[in-house]
């Protein structure tokens, strides 16, 4: 999604990386708390493109109207695991721009 847009509970996040052999993860940070949610491991295609359906907030209407930040990281310094809750953005070889979205 574009920075500043409204997104559904499970938006499609996509990107492209120059080196398709890198380990890429998407992390979602709810602005109201100090948690950083690691999304499912994604597969990078041979041309460097990738796509994942991320969880932006909890199921239902509890997080409608709330702000979230989304970032992709490549080759994290520490191993990541789907569903892990971190206290900070993971250290990584590469990081995407930070995108701020609002849950609709």
């Amino acid at each position: 999604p574009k920075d500043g847009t409204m997104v559904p509970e499970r938006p499609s996040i996509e990107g492209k990386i120059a080196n398709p052999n890198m380990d890429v993860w998407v992390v979602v940070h709810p602005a109201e708390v100090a948690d950083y949610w690691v999304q499912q491991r994604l597969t990078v295609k041979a041309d460097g493109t990738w796509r994942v359906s991320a969880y932006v907030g909890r199921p239902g209407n509890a997080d409608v109207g709330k702000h979230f930040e989304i970032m992709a990281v490549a080759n994290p310094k520490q191993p990541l695991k789907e569903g892990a809750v971190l206290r900070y953005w993971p250290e990584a070889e590469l990081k995407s721009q930070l995108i701020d979205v609002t849950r609709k």
Side-chain angles (χ1 to χ4, degrees), residues 53-65:
S53 289
Y55 290 91
V56 177
R58 297 164 286 186
N61 295 324
D63 293 319
V64 170

Side-chain angles (χ1 to χ4, degrees), residues 4-25:
T5 60
M6 296 196 70
V7 298
E9 179 184 325
R10 296 286 312 270
S12 179
I13 312 291
E14 57 188 54
K16 185 171 184 172
I17 191 161
N19 180 351
N21 296 315
M22 293 187 106
D23 187 23
V24 180
W25 294 81

